């Protein structure tokens, strides 16, 4: 647009210059022609004048008359009688003489005639010269007749002589005169010819100019029509555009608009009302700066998107609407910067976007709710299931059961195992499907060892079905790889499990093939699991990888399949950037193959694990178990006692510290997450001094990755055990950590531990225990009369973990509900207490305490518990004091929730 | 100025007054001196059979016309005094369309009467207030005021300008 206008201006200027030059040339030529004409005309006029005067035309006449008069004179002379006085003849003679005299006098006095051959000749001199004809005769003619007559003969002779000679010079002079005339006519003719030529030239020039003017006129007319058409087209295009176009000058004034623009703002079309763009668009500012800002905004804000920017416009009735603007800069005819703004009302689009956004949010919320439901349900189911299975294990290992009881217990265990597997699968599926779920730390592992471990897990079941495992390895021997080992283990476990389930009395071959990968330091790994089982029909080969798909529900039930195993394996493989393929022949078996490209790892020193476990019996020990969850605690105590250890129990960190101070145990098993005082702080306190300062402390946690383990060790713990704790691990720990202490307690080793070998013992996982406890955020208590042992206001890490697990939106709702509930509950508690219903107040406090704990509001929880106890005990006065503290802490707690953005 | 000049001027003035009177009376003055001009041809009924004969005094009895001009035949400008041809013809009661002017040497030219202006040409009898002789284009010369008007500088005017005029014939 810019260039176009400039070019046009330049062209217009050029046209102007050319036109000016053309005019100047025309005027110049016309002037030259006119001057030439004037000069030629004057010349002709002069010549004509000379011709008019006819000065010389009479020369031949005048000259010839001299001769005529001379001859008449001679004739008159000859007519005079010599003897008689003839008066008439004499008068005639006198007249003739006078006329001759007159002629010669005329010639002599006429300058123009002098210089001719005649007037130069001697004959002329003989007429008018001294002693010439005239001079000689005059005295006689002036005298009387008597004197004249005698002189006549002499006069006659003289005249005769003169007459004889003058004819020739007169004719010569006449010819010369005629030639002069001829010359003058020639001059006149050539002048006339020049004049004609010049006139013809002028005519030609005029004709050429007329043609040029005609052509120019035609061209101009055509240009004018083309321009008019172009303007019309442009105008029509702009006017029929649905997009409003508004032309702004450099001050942001509207100087033009198309029909859509006029309609958009209710302007008269083509109206000349002075108005500013800022009157109708909020972001526009008056003055040139406003335009520049808009232009800059267009250029920078959305430089990648055709310089479009969204603004707010106003209709004539004051209603605002979203407006999309794109700005083109140009120059006006006089060279001032102008801008052409293309505007579009995008209300509809914005509304659509809003609808879409809401729909998406709703969908996301639904999805989120579903995921959370699954996660929570799985969690809630897994905890009691773990308890159930642990109890069954203890029952089978420690009780004398008859055959029927044994069978029933076996059924319970099998059903429990299946249920737990289902739940675990659902959890894992949820975790893998969520975008941020599958983030296991990468570690170096021995692929072959991983396969062997997996196979070992299914050895027993395989044996039940008379199946045999074969492990083959090709390519790189014993490859160490780096990757998410739990995912690898999950894939292997699921496809091996699948093979075992669907094969009876066959061979399950696991082939490891590790080759150097394309990139350096990578390994292309292929692990295939081939069975000789029932196989899969071709039509079903895609379905088997879908979640909850089972090929034959009746059969699957028999085979205890959740239908999730292969789907999980696929998801896990994909999470590692690999894939799983299946080939199968019905009735002959299937082959599942895992393809992975992983970086090569470095060989790690062998971990002291189950394999290094010595078989020597463990001496009975004094074990202090610090665990707040009663079920977990009881199961752990049961397990230890089964091994012949003496166990003392503490229900929280503070109690544990107290007991450790009172009596030195051989080893302390410490839960990490506990009320009152968590495991880390308890460990620190114990290490700080006292009889148990050097006793090994084993942290028991559900979540022990390397980073957290380092923090636990830093707090003074000796080793960390992962939940669920199995007997093997516990034995190993007890043997390795306290070898020196065995001697001391040999006397106690009365009963040999029953080695119920690799059976895994699950401990009930306390939900709270899964929360990693980092050093808690200490909040200064503003009042001295708060109990000194009041815990921190908020367990930040716990809350953060909850937020991670449940999502901020859910947490926000929960927090808001909690705030409302707490306010209501505290009022209700107050009312109940005033009415003397202390037990009712205690119940209210109890309920609220649980809610506070679930959000990690530890101080509030603690005070509510204190209140509950005081109310239960009927100590209304103390409860009232506690209530006051609760109110204070409540506000601080709410503030914290608000600071975290959970409540408004 | 000499005594004769005064006398001549006085006589001229007297003659002029008488001539004017006689001219106005419609009759031509009769020649008492040497006849220098004859007017004949188609004249009024009053005209004598041989036409009018005029001498210098007779010509001078008409209202004189004077102008100074150069001519193509003479050097320098000269003052001419004479009778307008038209006045003369009117006085003679000419009824024709042309007048033939004849010179002493026989040269004659036909002048259309319609082409005559009121005051031009004149039949000059004085050049520079003096008569002029036959030897010097005298005694009468048909002269136009050539310098006054370009139209008189034409071949026709030059042709009509005859000197040594002796006769006017109306026809």
């Amino acid at each position: 647009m810019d260039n176009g206008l400039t070019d046009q201006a330049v062209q217009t200027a050029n046209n102007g210059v050319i036109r000016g030059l053309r005019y100047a040339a025309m005027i110049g030529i016309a002037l030259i022609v006119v001057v030439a004409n004037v000069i030629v005309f004057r010349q002709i006029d002069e010549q004509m004048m000379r011709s008019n005067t006819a000065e010389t035309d009479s020369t031949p006449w005048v000259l010839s008359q001299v001769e005529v008069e001379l001859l008449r004179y001679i004739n008159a002379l000859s007519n005079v009688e010599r003897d008689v006085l003839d008066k008439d003849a004499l008068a005639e003679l006198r007249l003739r003489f006078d006329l001759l005299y007159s002629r010669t006098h005329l010639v002599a006095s006429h300058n123009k005639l002098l210089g001719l051959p005649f007037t130069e000749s001697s004959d002329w001199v003989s007429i008018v010269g001294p002693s010439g004809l005239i001079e000689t005769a005059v005295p006689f003619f002036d005298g009387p007749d008597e004197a004249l007559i005698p002189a006549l003969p002499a006069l006659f002779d003289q005249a005769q002589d003169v007459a004889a000679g003058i004819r020739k010079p007169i004719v010569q002079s006449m010819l010369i005169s005629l030639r002069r005339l001829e010359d003058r006519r020639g001059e006149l003719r050539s002048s006339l010819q020049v004049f004609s030529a010049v006139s013809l030239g002028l005519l030609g020039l005029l004709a050429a100019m007329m043609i040029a003017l005609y052509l120019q006129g035609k061209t101009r007319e055509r240009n004018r029509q083309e321009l008019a058409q172009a303007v019309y087209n442009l105008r029509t295009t702009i006017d029929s555009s649905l997009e409003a176009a508004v032309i702004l000058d450099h001050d942001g004034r509207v100087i033009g608009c198309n029909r859509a623009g006029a309609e958009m703002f209710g302007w008269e079309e083509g109206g000349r009302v002075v108005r500013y763009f800022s009157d109708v668009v909020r972001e526009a500012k008056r003055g040139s700066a406003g335009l520049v800002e808009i232009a800059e905004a267009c250029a920078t804000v959305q430089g990648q998107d055709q310089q479009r920017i969204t603004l707010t416009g106003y209709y004539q009735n004051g209603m605002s609407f979203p407006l999309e603007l794109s700005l083109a800069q140009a120059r006006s005819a006089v060279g001032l910067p102008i801008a052409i703004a293309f505007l579009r009302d995008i209300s509809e689009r914005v509304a659509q976007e809003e609808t879409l956004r809401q729909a998406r949010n709703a969908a996301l919320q639904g999805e989120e709710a579903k995921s959370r439901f699954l996660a929570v349900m799985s969690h809630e189911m897994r905890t009691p299931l773990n308890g159930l299975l642990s109890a069954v294990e203890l029952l089978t290992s420690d009780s004398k059961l008859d055959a029927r009881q044994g069978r029933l217990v076996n059924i319970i265990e099998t059903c429990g195992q299946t249920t737990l597997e289902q739940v675990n699968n659902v959890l894992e599926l949820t975790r893998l499907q969520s975008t941020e779920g599958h983030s296991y730390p990468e570690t170096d592992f021995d692929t072959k060892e991983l396969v062997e471990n997996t196979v070992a897990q299914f050895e027993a079941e395989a044996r039940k079905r008379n199946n045999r495992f074969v492990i083959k390895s090709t390519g790189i021997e014993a490859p160490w790889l780096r990757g998410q080992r739990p995912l690898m283990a999950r894939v292997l476990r699921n496809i091996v499990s699948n093979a075992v389930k669907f094969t009876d009395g066959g061979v399950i071959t696991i082939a490891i093939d590790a080759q150097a990968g394309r990139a350096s330091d990578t390994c292309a790994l292929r692990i295939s699991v081939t069975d000789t089982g029932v196989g899969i029909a071709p039509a079903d080969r895609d379905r088997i990888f879908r979640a909850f798909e089972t090929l034959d529900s009746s059969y699957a039930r028999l085979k205890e399949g959740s239908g999730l195993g292969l789907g999980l394996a696929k998801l896990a493989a994909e999470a590692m950037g690999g894939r799983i393929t299946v080939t199968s022949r019905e009735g002959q078996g299937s082959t599942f193959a895992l393809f992975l490209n992983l970086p090569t790892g470095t060989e790690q020193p062998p971990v002291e694990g189950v394999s290094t476990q010595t078989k020597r019996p463990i001496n009975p020990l004094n074990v202090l178990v610090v665990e707040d969850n009663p079920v977990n605690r009881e199961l752990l105590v049961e397990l230890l006692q089964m091994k012949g250890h003496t166990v003392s129990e503490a229900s929280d960190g503070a109690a544990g510290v107290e007991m450790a101070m009172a009596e030195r145990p051989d080893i302390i098993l410490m839960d990490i997450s506990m009320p009152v005082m968590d495991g880390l702080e308890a460990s620190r306190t114990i290490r700080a001094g006292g009889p148990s300062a050097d006793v090994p402390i084993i942290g028991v946690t559900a979540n022990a990755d390397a980073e957290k383990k380092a923090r636990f060790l830093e707090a003074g713990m000796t080793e960390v055990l992962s939940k669920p704790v199995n007997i093997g691990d516990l034995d190993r720990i007890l043997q390795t950590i306290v070898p020196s202490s065995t001697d001391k307690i040999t006397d106690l080793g009365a009963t040999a531990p029953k080695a119920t070998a690799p059976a895994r013992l699950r401990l009930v996982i306390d939900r709270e225990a899964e929360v990693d406890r980092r050093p808690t955020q200490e909040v200064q208590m503003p009042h001295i009369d708060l109990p000194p042992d009041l815990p921190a206001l908020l367990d930040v890490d716990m809350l953060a973990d909850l937020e991670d697990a449940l999502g901020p939106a859910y947490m926000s709702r929960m927090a808001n509900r909690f705030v409302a509930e707490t306010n209501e509950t505290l009022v209700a508690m107050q009312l109940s207490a005033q009415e003397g219903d202390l037990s009712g107040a205690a119940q209210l406090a109890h309920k609220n305490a649980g809610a506070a704990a679930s959000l990690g509001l530890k101080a509030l929880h603690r005070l509510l518990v204190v209140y509950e106890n005081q109310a239960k005990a009927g100590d209304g006065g103390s409860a009232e004091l506690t209530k006051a503290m609760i109110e204070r802490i409540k506000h601080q707690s709410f503030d914290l929730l608000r600071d975290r953005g959970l409540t408004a | 100025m000499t005594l004769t000049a005064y006398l001549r001027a006085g006589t001229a003035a007297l003659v002029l007054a008488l001539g004017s009177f006689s001219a106005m009376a419609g009759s031509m003055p009769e020649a008492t001196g040497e006849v220098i001009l004859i007017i004949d041809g188609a004249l009024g009924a009053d005209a004598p059979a041989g036409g009018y004969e005029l001498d210098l005094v007779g010509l001078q009895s008409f209202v004189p016309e004077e102008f100074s001009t150069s001519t193509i035949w003479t050097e320098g400008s000269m003052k001419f005094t004479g009778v307008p041809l038209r006045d003369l013809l009117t006085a003679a009661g000419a009824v024709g369309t042309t007048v033939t002017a004849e010179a002493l040497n026989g040269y004659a030219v036909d002048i259309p009467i319609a082409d005559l202006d009121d005051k031009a040409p004149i039949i000059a009898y004085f050049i520079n207030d003096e008569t002029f002789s036959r030897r010097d284009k005298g005694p009468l010369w048909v002269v136009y005021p050539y310098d006054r008007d370009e139209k008189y500088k034409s071949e026709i005017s030059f042709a009509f300008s005859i000197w040594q005029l002796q006769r006017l014939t109306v026809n």
Side-chain angles (χ1 to χ4, degrees):
Chain A
M1 191 67 82
D2 193 351
N3 284 341
L5 283 181
T6 312
D7 286 351
Q8 209 173 332
V10 169
Q11 210 171 339
T12 309
N14 283 346
N15 285 347
V17 170
I18 289 166
R19 205 174 300 139
L21 285 174
R22 204 180 294 160
Y23 283 146
M26 280 167 67
I27 290 169
I29 290 169
L31 273 175
I32 289 166
V33 167
V34 166
V35 167
N37 263 334
V38 165
I39 290 169
V40 172
F41 187 79
R42 278 192 62 138
Q43 206 176 339
I44 289 169
D45 187 54
E46 198 177 299
Q47 281 164 351
M48 290 295 285
M49 189 65 86
R50 241 186 296 168
S51 179
N52 267 354
T53 56
E55 285 169 67
T56 49
D57 286 9
S58 59
T59 302
W61 168 261
V62 170
L63 290 176
S64 65
Q65 286 303 309
V66 171
E67 191 183 4
V68 168
E69 294 300 336
L70 179 59
L71 291 176
R72 283 181 175 172
Y73 169 62
I74 291 170
N75 190 39
L77 275 176
S78 61
N79 286 344
V80 176
E81 294 286 337
R82 304 286 163 90
D83 307 323
V84 186
L85 183 69
D86 184 350
K87 288 264 180 201
D88 289 344
L90 281 174
E92 176 66 16
L93 178 63
R94 284 181 190 274
L95 173 66
R96 289 301 153 193
F97 179 78
D98 284 349
L99 288 175
L100 178 62
Y101 185 99
S102 171
R103 272 303 149 191
T104 56
H105 179 70
L106 184 71
V107 172
S109 65
H110 209 310
N111 284 340
K112 295 271 165 52
L113 297 175
L114 298 178
L116 287 170
F118 174 60
T119 51
E120 296 292 314
S121 68
S122 55
D123 303 289
W124 176 249
V125 176
S126 68
I127 296 172
V128 297
S131 308
L133 189 148
I134 298 297
E135 196 180 296
T136 312
V138 165
F140 295 107
F141 282 102
D142 286 350
D145 293 342
E146 291 76 19
L148 177 60
I149 290 169
L152 288 176
L155 290 174
F156 180 81
D157 291 344
Q158 190 180 12
Q160 285 280 49
D161 289 348
V162 171
I166 66 169
R167 184 154 187 91
K168 197 176 169 190
I170 283 178
V171 170
Q172 282 176 349
S173 297
M174 279 169 66
L175 285 174
I176 286 171
S177 174
L178 287 171
R179 206 165 293 127
R180 282 184 185 167
L181 277 174
E182 186 71 29
D183 289 349
R184 192 159 309 151
R185 272 198 294 276
E187 276 173 36
L188 182 61
R189 188 162 58 241
S190 58
S191 288
L192 282 170
Q193 280 168 350
V194 169
F195 179 71
S196 303
V198 170
S199 296
L200 274 175
L202 182 58
L203 276 172
L205 194 68
L206 280 172
M209 278 170 120
M210 276 182 73
I211 290 169
L213 276 172
Y214 173 72
L215 291 177
Q216 202 179 4
K218 274 192 79 168
T219 308
R220 198 172 297 158
E221 176 62 18
R222 196 170 57 239
N223 287 347
R224 193 191 63 75
Q225 281 177 357
E226 278 171 7
L227 184 65
Q229 186 62 45
V231 167
Y232 175 78
N233 288 349
L234 191 64
R235 185 84 213 168
T236 309
T237 307
I238 291 174
D239 260 354
S240 56
S241 163
L242 296 177
E243 222 169 278
V246 175
I247 305 170
L248 308 172
D249 71 2
H250 64 289
D251 284 330
R253 257 193 300 263
V254 174
I255 55 175
C257 65
N258 68 350
R259 198 175 299 144
E263 278 169 12
M264 179 175 281
F265 299 113
W267 292 330
E268 286 169 53
E269 205 175 333
R272 285 181 162 275
V273 185
V274 174
R275 59 211 157 199
Y276 285 89
F277 197 46
S278 54
D279 294 341
V280 292
V281 171
R282 178 181 291 157
E283 287 81 358
K285 287 182 186 152
R286 199 164 288 195
S288 55
L291 197 62
V292 169
E293 277 169 17
I294 290 175
E296 280 177 356
C298 285
T300 57
V301 170
Q302 299 195 356
Q304 76 283 5
D305 187 17
Q306 299 176 329
Q307 304 195 351
R308 286 191 175 273
I309 183 171
T310 304
L311 303 171
T312 306
Y314 290 100
Y315 288 123
Q316 206 177 17
N317 60 11
M319 295 258 294
S320 66
F321 64 99
L323 185 72
E324 191 181 71
L325 174 142
S326 64
L327 204 65
Q329 297 208 60
R331 287 198 175 273
S332 69
V334 289
L336 289 172
I338 59 170
I340 301 161
F342 294 95
L343 311 168
R344 189 187 292 164
D345 182 346
I346 53 169
S347 311
E348 213 166 294
R349 200 177 82 195
V350 167
Q352 280 174 357
E353 281 173 1
E354 182 58 29
T355 311
L356 280 176
R357 192 161 33 241
Q358 282 173 3
R360 179 176 163 274
N361 284 347
L364 282 178
Q365 279 173 10
E367 185 65 25
E368 201 184 334
K370 194 185 85 183
S371 299
R372 201 159 47 242
F373 172 76
L374 280 173
V376 171
M377 280 307 292
S378 301
H379 232 113
E380 296 299 339
M381 286 172 77
R382 202 159 65 154
T383 305
L385 270 175
N386 274 323
L388 179 104
L389 288 172
S390 298
V392 167
E393 271 197 25
L394 287 172
L395 190 64
T396 51
S397 61
D398 200 24
S399 308
K400 303 259 183 238
L401 303 171
D402 60 25
R404 184 171 168 274
Q405 284 171 331
R407 215 164 47 244
L408 291 175
V409 166
N410 199 31
I411 289 172
I412 295 173
E413 189 182 7
T414 309
C415 290
Q417 287 281 8
T418 308
T419 312
L420 184 62
E421 195 187 325
Q422 300 262 26
V423 168
N424 280 341
N425 280 344
V426 168
L427 265 184
E428 188 68 23
L429 189 68
T430 313
R431 184 182 170 123
L432 285 171
Q433 279 177 338
S434 67
T435 47
E436 72 277 8
H438 45 76
S439 55
Y440 289 98
E442 292 197 340
T443 53
D444 295 334
F445 59 87
D446 180 352
T447 311
K448 200 165 180 190
E449 187 254 319
L450 183 66
V451 170
E452 283 166 355
N453 261 357
T454 309
V455 167
Q457 285 178 32
F458 292 95
E459 199 77 59
E461 198 181 343
R463 218 176 294 124
K464 272 193 234 168
R465 295 179 183 275
N466 293 320
N467 289 332
R468 183 162 62 83
F469 280 116
V470 174
I471 300 177
K472 293 181 187 167
S473 184
T474 54
I476 302 166
E477 190 66 24
W480 278 79
L481 299 177
R482 184 165 183 81
Q484 301 179 43
R485 192 179 187 277
L487 285 180
M488 274 289 285
R490 158 68 69 181
V491 175
L492 288 175
R493 205 158 57 235
N494 286 14
I495 57 179
V496 169
S497 159
N498 191 66
V500 169
K501 272 182 199 163
F502 293 98
T503 307
D504 285 296
V507 180
I508 295 162
T509 308
I510 297 149
I512 308 166
D513 179 39
Q515 303 290 343
R518 250 175 239 166
S520 59
D521 295 332
T522 63
C523 176
L525 181 67
R526 177 183 185 276
I527 301 176
S528 65
V529 178
T530 306
D531 63 50
T532 56
V534 293
I536 307 161
D540 295 326
R541 276 170 207 161
D542 284 339
R543 284 209 297 139
I544 55 171
F545 288 112
R546 293 184 203 153
F548 299 108
E549 285 280 356
T550 49
L551 304 186
D552 177 352
S553 42
S554 57
Y555 184 75
R557 258 200 301 283
L558 280 175
K559 290 293 180 183
E560 302 159 351
S562 65
L564 283 175
L566 291 176
L568 279 174
K570 182 168 180 277
L571 283 173
E574 284 166 0
M576 290 184 289
R579 64 196 168 91
I580 290 179
T581 63
V582 59
T583 54
S584 181
R585 296 184 72 176
E586 271 185 284
Q588 292 187 21
S590 311
T591 298
F592 287 86
L594 166 68
F595 295 90
L596 274 178
N597 253 308
L598 290 176
T600 51
T602 49
E603 193 171 341
Q604 304 290 313
V607 184
E608 285 185 43
V610 182
S611 56
T612 62
Q613 184 181 351
T614 55
K615 296 294 182 185
R616 68 180 172 97
I618 299 164
N619 294 324
L621 299 171
N622 271 325
V623 182
L624 171 58
V625 173
V626 187
E627 166 68 78
D628 63 324
N629 186 294
V631 177
N632 274 357
R633 193 168 64 236
E634 196 183 327
L635 285 170
L636 198 52
V637 167
E638 192 72 23
L639 187 65
L640 289 165
Q641 283 175 347
M642 198 175 74
K643 291 281 182 181
H645 301 299
T646 309
V647 182
S648 45
E649 305 169 40
S651 61
D652 61 45
V657 169
E658 201 175 310
M659 290 181 70
M661 295 301 171
E663 192 186 347
R664 185 184 194 277
D666 291 322
I667 189 165
I668 300 170
L669 294 181
M670 179 78 77
D671 185 22
I672 304 296
S673 170
M674 285 181 296
V676 185
M677 181 187 282
D678 67 18
L680 293 176
E681 189 164 357
S683 300
R684 273 187 222 107
T685 314
I686 291 167
R687 286 278 179 263
S692 305
D694 58 346
V695 170
I697 301 173
I698 311 299
V700 183
T701 177
N703 197 347
D705 64 33
E707 184 199 350
K708 282 169 184 167
K709 189 172 171 183
R711 290 223 329 274
F712 300 158
L713 298 180
E714 195 183 317
M717 291 183 168
T718 314
E719 185 54 271
V720 180
L721 259 181
S722 290
K723 287 180 184 179
V725 177
N726 68 43
I727 289 172
D729 286 351
L730 194 58
D731 275 350
R732 176 180 58 82
I733 290 284
L734 294 181
Q735 279 189 3
T736 53
I737 301 298
V738 277
S740 57
S741 63
T742 51
D743 294 337
K744 290 198 276 180
I745 52 171
T746 41
D747 52 326
L748 295 173
T751 52
K754 290 182 201 170
T756 51
R760 296 165 74 215
L761 182 67
R762 289 162 187 82
L763 294 176
V764 174
I765 298 167
D766 182 10
R767 184 152 142 214
E768 205 181 3
E770 284 205 312
V771 177
D772 167 35
R773 296 277 179 135
R774 298 199 180 104
T776 50
Q777 179 182 346
E778 298 297 338
V779 177
Q780 281 297 316
M781 289 300 137
H783 256 266
I784 193 125
D785 47 358
L786 287 173
D789 59 342
L790 193 64
L793 271 177
L794 175 67
D795 185 341
V796 177
D797 294 306
M798 177 189 161
L799 193 60
D801 284 348
L802 274 176
E803 276 177 330
D804 285 350
L806 301 175
Y810 181 82
M811 283 304 293
S812 176
R813 279 200 298 279
M814 215 167 122
N816 279 309
R817 200 160 58 228
F818 170 73
V819 168
E821 270 177 19
T822 303
N823 286 332
E824 286 169 20
T825 306
L826 291 181
V827 174
M829 274 162 57
Q830 186 72 24
L831 289 173
S832 297
Q834 282 168 1
E835 288 166 9
D837 182 8
L838 283 176
S839 66
Q843 273 176 17
L844 288 167
H846 177 80
K847 196 177 151 198
N848 201 227
S854 69
L855 280 174
L857 296 169
K858 297 199 298 187
L860 191 59
H861 168 256
R862 175 72 177 281
L863 286 170
L864 282 162
V865 170
V866 169
Y867 181 93
E868 185 196 348
N869 291 336
Q870 288 167 339
K872 264 186 195 163
D875 187 355
S878 299
E880 203 174 348
L881 284 174
T882 308
K883 174 76 174 26
M885 290 186 219
I886 288 171
E887 290 287 348
R888 280 232 321 272
I889 295 300
K890 179 193 82 173
H891 288 299
Q892 293 173 15
S893 301
F894 287 0
D895 287 349
L896 278 175
L897 290 177
R898 197 185 56 232
D899 291 348
R900 292 186 67 85
L902 291 171
T903 60
Chain B
M1 205 180 266
T2 61
L3 179 62
T4 51
Y6 273 117
L7 282 176
R8 197 160 52 220
T11 311
L14 179 67
V15 167
L16 186 68
L18 289 173
S20 297
F21 173 74
S22 59
M24 279 189 288
S27 60
M28 293 291 280
E30 277 185 32
T32 52
E34 185 190 359
V35 171
I36 55 175
L37 181 65
I38 296 166
I39 302 174
D40 56 8
L43 300 175
D46 302 344
Y52 296 109
E53 293 184 337
L54 293 171
D55 58 4
L56 179 63
V57 175
L59 287 174
Q60 283 179 319
S61 69
F62 288 89
V63 178
E65 171 68 12
E66 276 187 9
F67 51 77
S68 290
T69 185
S70 62
T71 76
I72 58 170
W73 306 276
T74 54
E75 292 297 319
S77 179
M78 293 179 294
K79 179 179 164 191
F80 293 89
T81 308
V83 187
L85 179 56
R86 193 183 182 89
D87 289 354
L88 196 61
L89 291 176
T90 305
V95 294
T97 54
T98 59
V99 58
T100 304
E102 188 189 343
L104 288 174
N105 63 350
Y107 176 88
V109 62
D110 289 344
I111 301 170
I113 294 173
D115 287 354
L116 300 175
D117 291 334
D118 285 346
K119 301 289 181 191
I122 59 169
I123 296 166
Y125 45 79
F126 285 164
I127 292 177
N128 294 336
D129 296 324
E130 287 183 11
T131 58
F132 48 105
S133 70
R134 290 199 306 218
R135 294 179 188 175
D136 189 18
K137 303 182 186 71
L140 298 176
W141 188 0
V142 177
V143 183
Y144 290 83
Y146 311 102
D147 292 350
R148 190 197 294 167
D149 196 330
E150 284 292 313
K151 73 179 181 184
Y152 299 133
K153 284 182 180 172
S154 67
E155 300 272 5
I156 293 292
S157 300
F158 293 152
F160 292 164
S161 304
I162 69 172
W163 56 74
Q164 295 165 330
L165 178 71
Q166 62 166 342
R167 181 189 300 272
L168 291 170
T169 306
V170 179
N171 37 49

